[in-house]
């Protein structure tokens, strides 16, 4: 902004900290000095507060409770000239966003009389002081996220309308405030799930604070990583450091292994589990459902979820192998406030291609469609350069199938409360209204091969008997994974973060058995339902029924009298509580476990005369769990 511009519209100066630790106390004081253009009665300043996190259900600024946090007040330096302070909502096309408390993020200061050049408006926010009284109120605190490799910043905006016309000009004034991590409290060890004998592999260490924020510059004082056989307790070797938080290792004998730090330290240590075995298929971990600010819904309440930062978090913090960042839409048109436009489509494809690194990191482009049956992730197997932008008539999952045919992509539903498929997205919060199972009547077994059984955003959608204490609690009866499996859906399992804050892999992740870390091989593993869904721990589940692997379909004629021998092996980085085998939605076998490894076998001797599926559920003693995708026995 030029000096002449500043001279006319005035200047804005702020006293505020440049850095604040997560959940730390925060305040600022600002002075607006009227410029050459004056400041007429009904002229206004607008200060737009940045969100700390998506849908936090918190107030960022308030003007009604003098003694509470987040209080803001303003005065003019002439006692006879008053200003009015009000709160406004951010501009968004999504009514559900407007209903959130954190949409009240605009502080407006309006003059009640004409102000002359040089007169001042003083604005105060937060802190523990109030006018004339020191230490009168609880501290206002910043958010709990500090997760970006290049820093997490709060970015305020200030705008001025000097003549009350409604035309606002943005001023300089607010420097960015960096939110820094807290004290280190835990260290996660991340390693491949399956390695070959003698194969060198990489081990990553991620140090985090109590809010699970990464501390990138943390220096570990010569930690020694030990690789220990879980069966006999023998040490198989030591990992060798290649830089401060990265190690290289290899294992010379088959078996299940834990990797831990052989040193007393104040940090809580989260081990890694590795199965050393010469097999054709490795296991790779990823997140198929996480969003960036290319989604309009997220952009309107954006704490800084730019797309490249999402990919960076997936690689450097979650240390996952693959990711899909599907952006949300109702339709495909030129309305950027609600939908994916052609420009957004090209951006989705460009970012995915730029971050794809075969053998190291796999990306899939895609979108999430809000339609009349609910929300569905559409994941493409290759670059969007090879995929046409949908026509305007594509507004439902069945129309996606009609438009794209039966190859080159998958549709992955998640089963939370009915969203209605309406442009007014406040309808998404309807608990039961409008849900119709007939919207699910049409099937496409070529492309709809998976279902999201868990997400960190919504909870557990296995069945209605045991939803977790998240949003899944208010789900529609029967709109669950086992209910659809019982109605004939042939779905493998995925788990995701459904994160809206730039953190793919934060929470739910999916394990896939695949030959190599490429788009083609990971997509093939997903397509063939060789999937493990986990609430977060990288729990290795190998199970077979009469030699058939998870995701397989076995057909039979009138009945199936051969005993089904279910063989299960579990290798976990944390203590296992139970292993359960589920047949057609009912637990038919449960075994208590004491330790991080388990091998169990169950023979189902019942004669099958109807379609039957089996899957495995593993529960850990700390409450986490994982599911291995079904194996089906179907009548021809």
């Amino acid at each position: 902004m030029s000096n002449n511009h500043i001279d006319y519209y005035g200047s804005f100066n702020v006293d505020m900290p440049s850095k604040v630790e997560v959940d730390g106390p925060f305040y600022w004081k600002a002075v607006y000095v009227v410029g050459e253009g004056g400041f007429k009665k009904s002229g206004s300043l607008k200060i737009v507060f940045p969100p700390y996190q998506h849908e936090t259900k918190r107030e960022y600024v308030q003007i009604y409770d003098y003694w509470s946090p987040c209080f803001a007040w303003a005065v003019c330096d002439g006692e006879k000239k008053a200003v009015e302070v009000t709160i406004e909502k951010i501009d968004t096309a999504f009514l559900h966003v407007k209903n959130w408390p954190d949409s009240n993020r605009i502080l407006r200061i309006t003059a009640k009389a004409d102000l002359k050049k040089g007169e001042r408006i003083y604005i105060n926010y937060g802190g523990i002081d109030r006018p004339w009284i020191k230490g009168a109120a609880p501290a206002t605190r910043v958010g709990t996220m500090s997760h970006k490799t290049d820093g997490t910043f709060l970015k305020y905006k200030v705008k001025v309308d000097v003549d009350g016309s409604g035309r606002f000009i943005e001023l300089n004034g607010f420097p960015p405030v960096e939110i820094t991590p807290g004290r280190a409290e835990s260290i996660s060890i991340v390693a491949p799930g399956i390695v070959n004998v003698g194969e060198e592999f990489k081990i990553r260490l991620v140090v985090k604070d109590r809010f699970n924020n990464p501390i990138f510059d943390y220096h570990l004082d010569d930690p020694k990583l030990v690789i220990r056989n879980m069966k006999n307790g023998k040490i198989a070797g030591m990992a060798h450091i290649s830089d401060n938080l990265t190690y290289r290792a290899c294992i010379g004998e088959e078996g299940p292994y834990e990797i831990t730090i052989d040193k007393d330290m104040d940090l809580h240590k989260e081990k890694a589990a590795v199965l050393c075995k010469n097999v054709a298929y490795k296991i790779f971990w990823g997140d198929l459902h996480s969003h960036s600010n290319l989604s309009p819904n997220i952009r309107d309440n954006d704490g800084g979820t730019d797309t490249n930062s999402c990919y960076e978090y997936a690689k450097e913090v979650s240390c996952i192998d693959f990711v899909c960042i599907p952006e949300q839409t109702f339709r495909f048109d030129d309305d950027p406030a609600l939908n994916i436009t052609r420009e957004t489509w090209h951006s989705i494809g460009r970012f995915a291609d730029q971050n794809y690194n075969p053998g190291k990191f796999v990306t899939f482009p895609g979108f999430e469609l809000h339609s009349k049956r609910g929300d569905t992730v559409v994941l493409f197997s290759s670059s969007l350069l090879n995929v046409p932008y949908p026509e305007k008539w594509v507004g439902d999952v069945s129309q996606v199938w009609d438009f794209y045919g039966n190859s080159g992509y998958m549709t992955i539903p998640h089963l939370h409360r009915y969203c209605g498929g309406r442009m007014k997205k406040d309808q998404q919060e309807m608990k039961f209204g409008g849900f119709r199972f007939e919207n699910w009547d049409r099937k496409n077994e070529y492309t709809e091969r998976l279902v999201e059984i868990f997400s960190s955003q919504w909870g557990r959608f296995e069945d209605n008997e045991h939803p977790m204490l998240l949003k899944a609690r208010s789900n529609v009866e029967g709109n669950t994974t086992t209910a659809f499996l019982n109605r004939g859906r042939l779905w493998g399992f995925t788990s995701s973060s459904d994160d809206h804050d730039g953190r793919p892999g934060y929470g739910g992740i999916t394990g896939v058995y695949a030959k190599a870390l490429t788009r083609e091989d990971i997509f093939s593993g997903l397509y063939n339902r060789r999937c493990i869904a986990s609430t977060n721990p990288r729990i290795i589940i190998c199970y077979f029924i009469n030699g058939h692997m998870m995701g397989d379909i076995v057909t039979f004629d009138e009945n199936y009298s051969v005993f089904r021998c279910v063989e299960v092996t579990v290798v976990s980085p944390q203590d296992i509580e139970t292993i359960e085998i589920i047949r057609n939605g009912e637990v038919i076998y449960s075994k208590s476990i004491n330790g991080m490894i388990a091998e169990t076998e169950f023979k189902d001797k019942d004669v099958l005369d109807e379609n039957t599926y089996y899957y495995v559920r593993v529960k850990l003693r700390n409450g986490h769990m994982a599911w291995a995708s079904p194996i089906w026995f179907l009548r021809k």
Side-chain angles (χ1 to χ4, degrees):
M1 185 181 295
S2 68
N3 287 333
N4 290 336
H5 198 63
I6 293 173
D7 289 343
Y8 185 82
Y9 289 104
S11 62
F12 190 87
N13 298 288
V14 182
D15 175 18
M16 66 194 311
S18 61
K19 293 184 179 183
V20 184
E21 188 176 297
V22 286
D23 202 36
F26 185 54
Y27 72 94
W28 53 257
K29 299 179 180 180
V31 179
Y32 170 71
V33 182
V34 178
E36 295 282 357
F39 201 86
K40 292 183 179 180
K41 179 181 178 181
S42 75
S44 296
L45 285 169
K46 278 187 179 181
I47 298 172
V48 183
F49 283 65
Y52 302 156
Q53 194 169 344
H54 184 77
E55 196 184 354
T56 57
K57 298 288 196 298
R58 65 171 289 173
E59 281 187 315
Y60 290 109
V61 57
Q62 55 93 7
I63 59 173
Y64 57 85
D65 191 343
Y66 185 80
W67 305 107
S68 294
C70 304
F71 183 73
W73 56 275
V75 295
C76 183
D77 58 2
E79 287 188 342
K80 294 181 180 179
K81 295 181 178 180
V83 293
E84 180 183 28
V85 183
T86 55
I87 301 292
E88 296 179 355
K89 292 183 176 292
I90 57 169
D91 184 26
T92 175
F94 296 92
L95 296 183
H96 73 297
V97 174
K98 288 184 177 180
N99 289 333
W100 295 340
D102 57 355
S103 71
N104 299 315
R105 285 196 283 107
I106 299 176
L107 179 68
R108 184 164 183 163
I109 300 103
T110 304
K112 304 296 285 182
D114 290 344
L115 303 181
K116 298 178 182 179
K117 176 186 176 182
E119 290 192 287
R120 291 171 168 80
I121 297 175
Y122 297 91
I123 307 139
N124 293 261
Y125 171 73
I128 62 174
D129 298 335
R130 295 296 183 262
W132 309 295
I133 308 175
K134 292 285 187 180
T140 294
R141 296 187 176 276
V142 296
T144 59
M145 290 200 308
S146 174
H147 60 291
K148 291 190 175 185
T149 55
D150 56 353
T152 299
F153 294 90
L154 300 181
K155 297 179 181 179
Y156 284 78
K157 292 181 180 180
V158 58
K159 303 176 182 180
V160 62
D161 168 21
V162 296
D163 56 11
S165 65
R167 188 175 70 91
F168 283 87
I169 303 297
E170 188 167 342
L171 298 178
N172 295 324
F174 275 104
V177 179
E178 184 175 8
I179 309 301
T180 61
R183 180 174 62 88
E185 293 210 357
S186 67
I187 181 167
S188 300
I189 303 170
V190 184
I194 298 176
V195 297
N196 292 329
V197 174
E199 172 191 12
E200 185 179 74
F201 61 93
K202 184 166 73 172
I203 303 169
R204 294 280 304 279
L205 305 183
V206 182
V207 180
K208 299 178 181 180
D209 68 8
R210 66 189 175 117
F211 295 110
N212 220 39
N213 294 305
I215 304 174
F216 296 107
D217 58 355
Y218 193 89
H219 181 75
L220 291 170
D221 186 18
D222 191 29
K224 292 181 173 58
L225 292 190
V226 175
I227 304 171
R228 183 180 290 110
N229 190 298
M230 290 184 182
K231 285 189 173 180
N232 56 33
K234 292 182 179 179
I235 295 177
M238 309 286 286
H240 303 286
I241 192 167
S242 60
D243 64 36
N244 182 37
L245 296 174
T246 304
Y247 288 71
R248 296 283 178 178
C250 67
I251 300 173
E253 184 178 344
E254 288 193 349
Y257 294 85
E258 67 171 11
I259 304 177
T260 188
I261 298 176
D262 190 25
K263 181 179 181 180
D264 291 333
M265 54 174 53
D266 293 333
L267 303 182
H268 170 70
K269 293 176 283 190
E270 297 177 356
K271 301 175 183 179
V274 175
L275 181 60
C276 182
K277 194 172 184 179
N278 291 327
V279 291
Y281 291 90
K282 302 290 185 69
I283 187 169
F284 301 99
W285 294 96
D287 186 353
L288 299 176
H289 184 185
S290 183
H291 304 291
S292 81
N293 59 12
L294 287 177
S295 287
N297 170 36
I298 294 168
R299 187 168 58 246
D300 286 348
N301 207 46
D302 178 24
T305 58
D306 58 283
T307 313
N308 271 330
S309 292
C310 293
Y311 284 117
E312 193 73 9
Y313 188 96
K315 289 182 282 189
E316 300 300 327
V317 182
S318 296
C319 301
I320 53 179
D321 301 304
F322 62 90
V323 69
C324 178
I325 302 180
E327 306 302 351
Q328 300 175 344
T329 194
F330 291 97
R331 297 287 187 272
F332 297 90
D333 56 28
D334 297 325
D335 183 0
L338 281 168
N339 297 322
I340 292 177
T341 65
R342 287 184 183 274
E343 181 180 355
T344 305
W345 182 266
H346 294 314
S347 296
I348 293 169
R350 183 178 73 254
F351 283 120
D353 289 349
Q354 288 173 352
N355 285 277
Y356 176 39
N357 189 354
K360 294 184 177 180
F361 186 64
V362 168
T363 61
F364 293 105
F367 61 87
E368 180 184 7
L369 184 64
H370 304 304
S371 70
K372 63 183 181 180
R373 76 169 196 181
D375 291 355
T376 302
V377 169
V378 181
L379 178 149
F380 293 97
S381 63
S382 63
S383 172
L384 283 192
L385 293 175
N386 307 319
V387 179
Y389 178 75
E391 299 290 345
K392 286 187 177 182
W393 55 266
V394 177
D396 191 55
V397 177
S398 61
Q399 292 168 334
V400 172
W401 299 335
D402 292 337
F403 184 76
Y404 286 117
N406 293 332
S407 63
Y409 71 103
M410 281 186 288
T411 58
I412 308 171
H414 50 287
L415 305 174
H416 61 65
R417 293 173 293 176
Y418 177 63
C419 85
R422 296 182 174 91
M423 303 300 278
K424 293 183 179 179
K425 216 179 168 217
D426 60 327
Q427 300 291 339
Q428 181 167 350
E429 300 305 315
M430 294 167 60
K431 185 175 181 180
F432 299 111
F435 185 88
R436 297 288 183 271
F437 277 112
E438 52 261 37
N439 291 328
W440 288 86
D441 284 347
R442 185 175 171 187
K443 303 178 183 179
N444 188 332
E445 294 178 358
Y446 295 101
T447 63
E448 198 147 274
R449 315 273 293 186
L450 302 168
V451 67
E452 193 174 277
I453 195 171
F454 171 86
S455 77
S456 304
Q457 177 73 218
W458 291 93
R460 174 181 176 186
F461 290 93
E462 190 174 1
D463 64 49
N464 288 117
E465 297 303 314
H466 42 63
M468 295 181 70
L469 299 181
L470 295 177
K471 300 175 187 176
R473 163 178 266 176
S474 60
N475 195 30
V476 175
E477 183 75 24
N479 186 35
T480 63
T481 299
T482 54
F484 276 104
L485 292 175
N486 290 340
R487 292 197 290 269
R489 288 301 202 271
L490 304 178
W491 287 344
F493 301 152
T494 70
S495 178
S496 77
S497 65
D498 195 359
D499 186 77
H500 289 48
D501 291 300
R503 302 171 300 173
Y506 186 86
I509 55 174
T510 299
V512 176
Y513 284 94
K515 292 183 177 180
L517 189 55
T518 64
R519 277 180 174 170
E520 295 79 11
D521 284 298
I522 297 296
F523 187 85
S524 176
L526 293 169
Y527 188 85
N528 289 299
R529 300 176 287 246
R530 314 283 196 222
C531 301
I532 301 166
S534 171
T535 56
N536 185 250
R538 303 185 185 203
I539 303 168
I540 302 166
I541 305 175
C542 305
Y543 93 101
F544 297 87
I545 303 179
N546 296 356
H548 298 286
M549 188 179 181
M550 68 180 77
D552 281 352
I553 295 175
V554 182
T555 59
F556 61 92
D557 293 319
E558 293 186 1
N559 57 57
Y560 192 88
S561 58
V562 179
F563 295 171
R564 274 80 59 211
C565 182
V566 187
E567 301 172 277
V568 184
T569 299
V570 179
V571 181
S572 169
Q574 298 152 16
D575 285 338
I576 305 165
E577 182 177 68
T578 57
I579 295 175
E580 297 172 311
I581 298 172
I582 291 90
R583 183 182 72 185
N584 290 351
E586 302 293 334
V587 177
I588 59 170
Y589 174 82
S590 180
K591 182 177 182 179
S592 297
I593 304 296
N594 183 22
M596 297 164 62
I597 59 169
E599 295 177 333
T600 189
E601 180 181 296
F602 170 74
K603 288 186 178 179
D604 186 3
K605 299 180 180 181
D606 292 345
V607 175
L608 300 183
D609 58 3
E610 63 178 358
N611 292 341
T612 302
Y613 64 87
Y614 300 80
Y615 68 87
V616 174
R617 180 170 62 217
V618 176
K619 295 180 179 178
L620 304 186
R621 295 195 178 276
N622 62 7
H624 279 289
M625 59 181 61
W627 302 262
S629 295
I631 296 172
W632 287 266
F633 290 79
L634 304 181
R635 294 186 65 170
K636 293 181 182 176

